[in-house]
Amino acid sequence: MRPILLQGHERSLTQIKYNADGDLIFSCSKDHRINVWYSHNGERLGTYDGHNGTIWTVDVDSESRFLISGSADNMMKLWEVKTGKCLYTWEFPTAIKRVAFSEDDNYIACITEQRMGYQGAIRIFQINRKGDGKDQSKEPNFMFHPIESKATVLAFSATSDQLVTGHESGKLTLYNTKTGEEVVSNKRAHREVVTDIQMSPDRSYFITSSKDKSAKLYDTKTLDELKSYTTETPLNSAAIAPGRPYILLGGGQEAMNVTTTSARQGKFETRFWHKIFEEEVGRVKGHFGPINTIAVHPAGTSYASGGEDGFIRVHHFDESYFRARPYGDMEPEEE
């Protein structure tokens, strides 16, 4: 599995996203720039320039028409994927830590940070998809403040009226987006900050990663824990591999502690775990620092990881990955 090394960022990666077709990879980093790449060969298509702060988060709609980004410059921007033009900019009092499109592409949600006397907030905007996309509403359709602990990550459930958030205290909450009410909450989901949430293809369950060195699968409707994967390193990202019973985890010691340990100690590998049996099945080395973000191709044919070292590594799975019998002699019956 020879990786394709993508060099287009000068500073550490913050998030990577595949588009719905899987032919494009979007990456954002602390160097104020968003890049877009062809996933099959790693060729860089272009950049989206306009932010002047660390870009924390990016998401793309299912048609690969609009891209949304959130940055430490207190701005959220809507981009046209094809041309790289910025169509609309929202300004907030504090930094935007996470953005997400709803399943039907009609809504975007964002988390703004709690800082300088401002409460952390979740805002939901309806996107006007008519015309050239420049005519957007400045005010959110819905806005609410998470109670107790600030939200760090979010994702829409299968419908746009519900939203899952992960919090600094380790709790998970399912919100009604229209009322801001907590539908259900799991206060002891993790012991430390939740660093990533990624939905399964049908959004019926999702995976979380946390600084408490564990990743877990949860049911979207009930927030019941389904599976748990405990490692010996803080985790920054977790992804579900479609079509195979694996999950991918990435993390590593904080950058400031890394110089005192070797790369092996720093645990900078992408870890593959068996989703059902909760056992680690393999590791892929390569990064020279913690892995900050992992994304898997929607068809499950490749994955990309972005590190503190500023590199993106794209791995296309070998034939053996698809031939392996992950359940041993007990193969699941085909639907």
Side-chain angles (χ1 to χ4, degrees):
M1 218 167 55
R2 291 201 52 185
I4 304 171
L5 206 60
L6 311 187
Q7 294 174 281
H9 289 290
E10 289 160 16
R11 294 187 59 197
S12 50
L13 272 290
T14 48
Q15 202 176 6
I16 292 175
K17 278 280 191 187
Y18 279 88
N19 65 343
D21 297 332
D23 59 336
L24 301 176
I25 296 173
F26 296 88
S27 62
C28 59
S29 105
K30 292 184 177 174
D31 65 5
H32 312 177
R33 168 181 293 172
I34 304 165
N35 284 333
V36 56
W37 318 77
Y38 281 121
S39 62
H40 66 285
N41 63 2
E43 184 187 334
R44 183 162 75 171
L45 259 153
T47 59
Y48 300 83
D49 286 323
H51 280 294
N52 49 23
T54 292
I55 301 169
W56 289 117
T57 174
V58 66
D59 198 11
V60 59
D61 71 7
S62 63
E63 297 173 2
S64 305
R65 181 182 165 200
F66 292 144
L67 180 75
I68 191 88
S69 61
S71 163
D73 61 10
N74 302 355
M75 289 193 260
M76 180 168 78
K77 288 180 180 284
L78 184 71
W79 310 82
E80 188 171 33
V81 169
K82 202 164 53 182
T83 61
K85 279 192 191 125
C86 177
L87 301 174
Y88 196 85
T89 302
W90 290 268
E91 287 198 46
F92 303 114
T94 57
I96 295 92
K97 295 302 285 212
R98 195 46 91 97
V99 294
F101 270 101
S102 62
E103 175 83 8
D104 59 9
D105 297 337
N106 288 330
Y107 290 91
I108 42 174
C110 70
I111 296 174
T112 51
E113 224 177 4
Q114 181 179 327
R115 192 166 277 178
M116 303 181 301
Y118 290 99
Q119 272 181 293
I122 292 171
R123 293 174 173 84
I124 290 114
F125 294 86
Q126 187 162 5
I127 292 296
N128 177 9
R129 302 183 68 82
K130 297 192 181 94
D132 59 6
K134 289 183 179 172
D135 181 23
Q136 301 298 337
S137 161
K138 190 171 175 229
E139 295 304 317
N141 292 47
F142 312 104
M143 174 175 162
F144 50 92
H145 302 283
I147 44 180
E148 293 165 12
S149 165
K150 69 182 189 186
T152 50
V153 288
L154 57 70
F156 277 98
S157 71
T159 56
S160 58
D161 58 358
Q162 287 194 329
L163 183 73
V164 179
T165 56
H167 296 255
E168 205 170 48
S169 65
K171 82 166 179 174
L172 293 172
T173 310
L174 182 67
Y175 281 105
N176 179 318
T177 53
K178 298 192 167 46
T179 63
E181 282 171 36
E182 291 192 4
V183 181
V184 57
S185 177
N186 184 338
K187 290 193 174 160
R188 292 196 174 77
H190 284 283
R191 294 190 308 281
E192 286 185 50
V193 57
V194 181
T195 50
D196 198 9
I197 284 183
Q198 294 198 28
M199 286 282 170
S200 64
D202 65 356
R203 302 199 185 212
S204 63
Y205 64 97
F206 61 90
I207 191 161
T208 58
S209 63
S210 167
K211 291 286 185 199
D212 70 4
K213 306 184 179 177
S214 72
K216 296 181 180 182
L217 284 184
Y218 286 96
D219 182 282
T220 307
K221 283 199 173 89
T222 61
L223 299 190
D224 288 341
E225 185 181 313
L226 305 173
K227 296 284 175 185
S228 179
Y229 316 94
T230 307
T231 68
E232 69 287 2
T233 180
L235 295 176
N236 298 327
S237 192
I240 298 167
R244 306 295 279 162
Y246 300 121
I247 58 154
L248 285 68
L249 309 180
Q253 270 175 309
E254 288 298 322
M256 60 187 181
N257 306 331
V258 165
T259 48
T260 56
T261 54
S262 72
R264 180 77 195 144
Q265 286 300 108
K267 318 278 191 302
F268 306 141
E269 303 106 333
T270 300
R271 291 132 189 279
F272 284 73
W273 283 66
H274 198 293
K275 186 161 74 177
I276 313 300
F277 300 149
E278 303 177 335
E279 288 169 1
E280 188 171 346
V281 292
R283 293 186 184 184
V284 177
K285 291 205 279 285
H287 283 286
F288 293 103
I291 293 171
N292 293 338
T293 174
I294 289 181
V296 182
H297 190 292
T301 53
S302 67
Y303 81 91
S305 57
E308 190 70 28
D309 55 10
F311 292 108
I312 302 166
R313 301 175 76 88
V314 181
H315 293 264
H316 289 271
F317 292 124
D318 292 339
E319 194 54 43
S320 59
Y321 170 83
F322 301 101
R323 276 208 310 265
R325 302 185 60 182
Y327 295 101
D329 292 331
M330 311 164 18
E331 281 300 301
E333 290 176 19
E334 292 294 324
E335 288 294 321

